[in-house]
Amino acid sequence: MFEQSKLCTEVYRSELALRLRALGYRLRNTANGFEIEGVQPEIIERFSKRRRTVLSVDALLAVASETPLSNNQRAAISRLTRPAKRADLTPEQVLAHQRAQLSDQEFAELDQLAKASLAAASAAQAAAPRLQLSESEAVNLKNLSQISGPPEARPAAQAPSPDAHQPTDVAETNRLDHGREKVEPSEAATQGRAQPRLPVDPQAARAAIDYARDHLFERSSAVPRHELLRHALQFGRGSVDLAMLETELQRRTEFICVDGTLTTKETLRLEQRMIALVNQGLGGCHPLRADYRPTGALEPEQEQALQLILRSPDEVIALQGRAGAGKTQLLQELVRAIDQRYASTVLAPAAAAVDVLRPQGFKQAATVQSFLVDPEFQRSTRGQALVVDEAGVLSLHDLHRTHSRAEERPFGLRGHDSTATRV
């Protein structure tokens, strides 16, 4: 359950988004969820009191400890700063408290947004026969605008007693809170209030699964099934639900699932092809520089790795190590050794990595993509040793294409321990 907590978050966000769209609201995605189009950012920030409280305490503790807080510490802050629930407040009093925090103009704008959304939902229902609402759902839509009412009809907020504890945000007293008693709305408040919901578009489900597949398998060859569903829900937010994605995933034939982990038939084919190419290149080249002696001050492990690379007769050689282990210094010595007899081409996955390499002596470093798309670049470097920095960041497809372009030249891979997941 803990491993799938992010999926659970996306499930309820998706369900909420579907119901909001059924009510006619338009949504905009954000880094951590979504917001309703037409609600001003200042209003959203004003009502985000819990977030401000947690962030302020987080900042204070981080300064005091002089180290960033862990996720567990942030979770503890969230629990400890949560105000006690106000069981003495009615839903009407909570609503009045919320309205009292809005100016007349802000209230009028939100009221107009609700009415416009209601009209849009009604028009969509009339134009699209597939959008079928039950009688209770239609009543709910019809009465939506009456929930807010005109400014003059706002109920006055009932002031709590002076000695009563004031919560950070009274609106949060009705929030679902696992492990605590839930304040149930009155029977009158819930009677007949069905939740309208848009039907799910099968094409949207297909597009969401396609996106999640292409996005995740760009960097990994095997991913948890729940991660693919989570990214598909994020992509299709407001248009798909978990049940439809489960059905779509079950229908797809390109996936292979073993113990809750997914790969694709194409990914497996590329993995097997890469393994075959590496095996075919074993012992197929002359050593780069079997007689080379390092000129720099290398640690014993660095020198051992360097000699292994320079004396290897294999077409593909991989160097792997943790961050800070001295791979860059070793790479400098390696290129120096190769360039004394042959020549080398140093590539990196991204322009930012190239910008880091050039000041370190690799003046001609270039991106892998520029090498793959430029036939003249490939011709001009034919016969040179190909060195790929941060190879673990490359997608399996780009790694396969790079190796294919390398032909019979020596091909080196350098990366961190955190390389892409393989089947």
Side-chain angles (χ1 to χ4, degrees):
M1 183 64 182
F2 178 78
E3 292 179 353
Q4 299 189 28
S5 59
K6 291 183 178 179
L7 171 62
C8 295
T9 297
E10 287 306 321
V11 169
Y12 84 73
R13 283 178 178 168
S14 176
E15 190 67 23
L16 177 59
L18 281 167
R19 295 182 185 277
L20 285 170
R21 287 192 59 228
L23 292 172
Y25 290 102
R26 291 181 300 152
L27 308 177
R28 57 173 177 264
N29 285 324
T30 64
N32 298 311
F34 65 90
E35 297 170 353
I36 296 177
E37 285 279 4
V39 179
Q40 297 302 317
E42 307 83 57
I43 296 178
I44 295 174
E45 183 63 25
R46 189 186 311 159
F47 281 83
S48 300
K49 298 181 179 67
R50 285 286 301 129
R51 177 176 176 274
R52 290 201 302 273
T53 299
V54 172
L55 289 179
S56 63
V57 176
D58 184 329
L60 289 173
L61 292 179
V63 170
S65 62
E66 298 183 350
T67 56
L69 299 183
S70 67
N71 289 336
N72 286 339
Q73 289 172 317
R74 290 192 176 95
I77 290 173
S78 180
R79 290 193 301 271
L80 294 173
T81 58
R82 177 176 293 158
K85 300 183 77 170
R86 296 288 303 277
D88 59 311
L89 294 177
T90 65
E92 290 75 18
Q93 288 174 314
V94 172
L95 185 59
H97 177 81
Q98 292 175 325
R99 291 176 178 174
Q101 300 174 65
L102 298 169
S103 68
D104 288 347
Q105 180 179 351
E106 290 171 336
F107 187 89
E109 290 174 354
L110 292 177
D111 186 55
Q112 180 59 36
L113 173 63
K115 291 177 179 177
S117 300
L118 171 62
S122 299
Q125 181 187 4
R130 63 185 179 85
L131 181 59
Q132 299 294 330
L133 298 179
S134 66
E135 182 178 351
S136 60
E137 289 174 335
V139 171
N140 185 52
L141 282 175
K142 182 177 180 180
N143 294 333
L144 178 63
S145 62
Q146 299 176 6
I147 295 176
S148 56
E152 61 272 12
R154 299 187 204 177
Q158 178 178 336
S161 60
D163 56 345
H165 170 68
Q166 293 298 320
T168 304
D169 185 359
V170 180
E172 294 179 2
T173 58
N174 281 349
R175 183 182 56 241
L176 289 178
D177 187 2
H178 296 292
R180 298 189 181 184
E181 183 180 359
K182 177 183 172 184
V183 179
E184 298 290 350
S186 65
E187 182 179 351
T190 58
Q191 187 175 2
R193 284 195 183 178
Q195 299 297 320
R197 192 175 183 280
L198 283 175
V200 179
D201 182 2
Q203 291 195 11
R206 284 194 289 273
I209 292 292
D210 285 347
Y211 166 81
R213 178 201 61 201
D214 296 343
H215 174 70
L216 291 173
F217 288 101
E218 178 70 14
R219 289 289 177 265
S220 298
S221 295
V223 300
R225 186 175 184 274
H226 61 81
E227 276 298 291
L228 184 130
L229 290 171
R230 178 172 75 89
H231 283 80
L233 281 171
Q234 286 180 331
F235 178 82
R237 186 178 291 148
S239 301
V240 299
D241 64 7
L242 181 61
M244 181 60 74
L245 292 179
E246 292 272 16
T247 300
E248 176 65 19
L249 185 57
Q250 187 74 20
R251 186 187 66 81
R252 303 291 277 265
T253 60
E254 74 264 37
F255 292 104
I256 302 171
C257 184
V258 178
D259 296 332
T261 300
L262 290 173
T263 189
T264 67
K265 294 177 181 178
E266 173 64 9
T267 299
L268 182 59
R269 185 190 69 79
L270 287 176
E271 288 268 339
Q272 293 171 334
R273 176 61 179 158
M274 279 295 301
I275 293 171
L277 289 173
V278 171
N279 289 337
Q280 290 170 13
L282 294 177
C285 299
H286 294 293
L288 289 168
R289 284 292 306 276
D291 60 341
Y292 182 77
R293 292 295 178 267
T295 59
L298 297 180
E299 297 293 333
E301 287 188 359
Q302 291 175 309
E303 184 169 344
Q304 182 182 6
L306 177 66
Q307 294 294 350
L308 180 64
I309 295 171
L310 292 176
R311 294 174 182 177
S312 173
D314 299 334
E315 183 180 348
V316 178
I317 309 166
L319 172 65
Q320 188 177 39
R322 67 182 186 277
K327 295 188 299 297
T328 298
Q329 185 182 10
L330 192 154
L331 184 63
Q332 292 170 333
E333 194 70 30
L334 173 64
V335 171
R336 186 181 298 116
I338 295 173
D339 287 348
Q340 288 180 6
R341 180 170 295 180
Y342 306 103
S344 62
T345 301
V346 179
L347 304 176
V354 170
D355 292 340
V356 172
L357 286 172
R358 286 177 177 170
Q360 295 176 340
F362 307 103
K363 304 295 184 183
Q364 303 303 317
T367 64
V368 170
Q369 194 62 28
S370 65
F371 174 78
L372 292 176
V373 301
D374 188 349
E376 179 56 34
F377 189 0
Q378 297 168 25
R379 282 192 294 270
S380 66
T381 59
R382 192 181 302 276
Q384 298 182 8
L386 195 62
V387 181
V388 182
D389 189 28
E390 303 292 353
V393 181
L394 282 177
S395 70
L396 182 61
H397 291 79
D398 284 346
L399 189 60
H400 183 267
R401 291 169 61 202
T402 303
H403 183 274
S404 299
R405 302 293 190 280
E407 297 178 344
E408 296 180 355
R409 73 184 81 187
F411 180 49
L413 301 174
R414 168 181 175 263
H416 295 312
D417 281 338
S418 56
T419 52
T421 304
R422 301 293 179 221
V423 175

